[in-house]
Amino acid sequence: MLKKALVFTLALSCFAPFALAQEREESMVMSAGESMRRNWNVTLFSIASLSNMSYGKTANSTRSVDSYSYFGFNYKIDSDTKFSVRVPFIYNTAGQNEYADQVSSVLDLQDVHFAYSKYDLGYIGDVDISGNVKLYMPTSEYSQNSKLVTKLRFEVYFEYSIGRFSSITYGVKPDIYWQRQTAYYDPNTPQWEDGTFKKDPRGTTKQYSFEHFVEGVIDINRYFSVKPKAGFDEDWYYSSDAEQLEGNHVTKVRAGLGLEMRVMRGLTFTAGVQNTTSLGSYKGKDVTWMQPENTEYTLMTNAFIF
């Protein structure tokens, strides 16, 4: 039964509708392995997304679906502490992207990372505190092009539980980047037929990022939960004197709604919709909220393999 379910999971991950993953679902899936008294296990995380078409664009053929997945090789240090090595990859199907460009299927390794997870950092009243520290290696094509040395991420979750599954969580995720250079050239920038670029192939590299959000989990029954979520993403970029590029600070507001489905022990899906709006003007336009072109549809999968 589990093998059939995992095959179904992989199929959906390739063709279903990117949300931001949380460790809550993975910790629930990993507990399936602990029930077998194993100190180690392997899990699968996958998130597939389909974005709405950009403003003024219309799809006239099959849409491309993007997915980010990783296999987690997890070792339980003690009842509250785990260490994981995660091997991520992207798989994007062939078809038209949100800009109506025809793209080929892509399968690429992403940044392999190490995660140290502590599921019990104590309590503030009835609020449970947990956290993770992640160290990323520059194994993806993008990280190698931009000359990333490493990225360090800290994650802290403040969760107030309401019953077995329902909860309210405030999460913070600061990132620190170590770069060899402040600017990079993207060789994959799309071009027009005359060889000119559709956008500037140069870009500046990140210094810091900071995500914080509030997410609720509203238990419907033992199998389903509704998950509203809202928060901010902040990114700070270097400036480059050599390329005459200015630094930048970008703030985005994210709001979404998900439906978590606990199919069986060790297997969960979350189907969702998410809207992302950049604060400040964009291409001379004022900020407009909840526009269709800023919306994407997602399917997140967490599965215990063995």
Side-chain angles (χ1 to χ4, degrees), residues 3-301:
K3 290 183 177 179
K4 291 181 179 179
L6 290 175
V7 171
F8 180 62
T9 300
L10 288 169
L12 282 176
S13 298
C14 292
F15 296 103
F18 233 112
L20 300 173
Q22 288 197 54
E23 301 299 313
R24 177 184 181 276
E25 291 83 357
E26 179 161 296
S27 66
M28 291 169 59
V29 170
M30 289 172 67
S31 67
E34 295 166 10
S35 67
M36 301 177 185
R37 301 184 182 278
R38 292 179 176 176
N39 288 334
W40 65 273
N41 57 52
V42 179
T43 52
L44 170 69
F45 169 85
S46 182
I47 186 159
S49 69
L50 180 67
S51 300
N52 271 347
M53 300 297 294
S54 293
Y55 181 77
K57 302 293 184 179
T58 302
N60 53 26
S61 68
T62 303
R63 289 292 311 279
S64 172
V65 177
D66 301 336
S67 67
Y68 172 88
S69 309
Y70 65 71
F71 289 101
F73 301 89
N74 315 293
Y75 179 77
K76 183 177 74 171
I77 299 173
D78 57 41
S79 59
D80 298 316
T81 312
K82 297 180 178 64
F83 176 79
S84 303
V85 179
R86 297 172 177 177
V87 182
F89 56 92
I90 59 169
Y91 175 67
N92 301 337
T93 65
Q96 282 190 319
N97 62 19
E98 63 267 35
Y99 304 105
D101 295 328
Q102 193 70 31
V103 294
S104 303
S105 61
V106 174
L107 177 62
D108 271 335
L109 177 69
Q110 296 300 287
D111 290 335
V112 174
H113 53 281
F114 307 94
Y116 176 83
S117 303
K118 190 73 175 179
Y119 296 119
D120 186 5
L121 290 174
Y123 286 83
I124 299 177
D126 293 328
V127 177
D128 186 12
I129 307 173
S130 60
N132 308 283
V133 179
K134 299 177 181 178
L135 183 66
Y136 291 75
M137 299 293 100
T139 52
S140 67
E141 181 182 6
Y142 173 81
S143 293
Q144 292 173 11
N145 287 337
S146 62
K147 300 298 188 291
L148 174 72
V149 177
T150 189
K151 181 180 83 171
L152 184 63
R153 166 173 286 186
F154 301 93
E155 301 178 351
V156 182
Y157 302 97
F158 303 87
E159 182 178 12
Y160 178 74
S161 296
I162 308 169
R164 183 179 180 185
F165 292 112
S166 299
S167 64
I168 299 174
T169 298
Y170 174 64
V172 294
K173 300 181 181 182
D175 294 336
I176 304 173
Y177 294 80
W178 281 269
Q179 311 275 10
R180 290 194 181 94
Q181 57 192 37
T182 58
Y184 70 97
Y185 172 85
D186 184 0
N188 298 316
T189 304
Q191 296 175 276
W192 300 105
E193 294 181 359
D194 62 1
T196 58
F197 292 100
K198 294 185 178 182
K199 63 177 183 178
D200 193 339
R202 302 171 304 160
T204 55
T205 54
K206 286 184 181 180
Q207 297 187 71
Y208 311 103
S209 294
F210 181 65
E211 176 195 349
H212 54 116
F213 61 88
V214 174
E215 181 180 60
V217 179
I218 304 169
D219 182 24
I220 299 174
N221 54 40
R222 60 181 296 188
Y223 298 108
F224 297 97
S225 294
V226 176
K227 302 176 67 176
K229 180 179 179 180
F232 294 87
D233 289 349
E234 310 267 359
D235 294 304
W236 288 265
Y237 294 83
Y238 285 101
S239 60
S240 174
D241 294 335
E243 296 293 338
Q244 297 182 337
L245 296 174
E246 295 182 356
N248 201 6
H249 172 210
V250 178
T251 301
K252 296 180 180 179
V253 178
R254 297 184 186 271
L257 184 66
L259 176 65
E260 181 179 88
M261 297 162 279
R262 296 176 288 273
V263 178
M264 57 186 295
R265 185 170 177 80
L267 179 63
T268 65
F269 298 107
T270 302
V273 58
Q274 177 176 267
N275 186 274
T276 304
T277 300
S278 294
L279 299 183
S281 63
Y282 177 68
K283 294 184 178 180
K285 298 179 180 178
D286 293 332
V287 175
T288 52
W289 298 93
M290 304 303 292
Q291 296 302 299
E293 62 267 22
N294 297 332
T295 301
E296 58 187 352
Y297 306 90
T298 64
L299 182 71
M300 184 168 64
T301 302

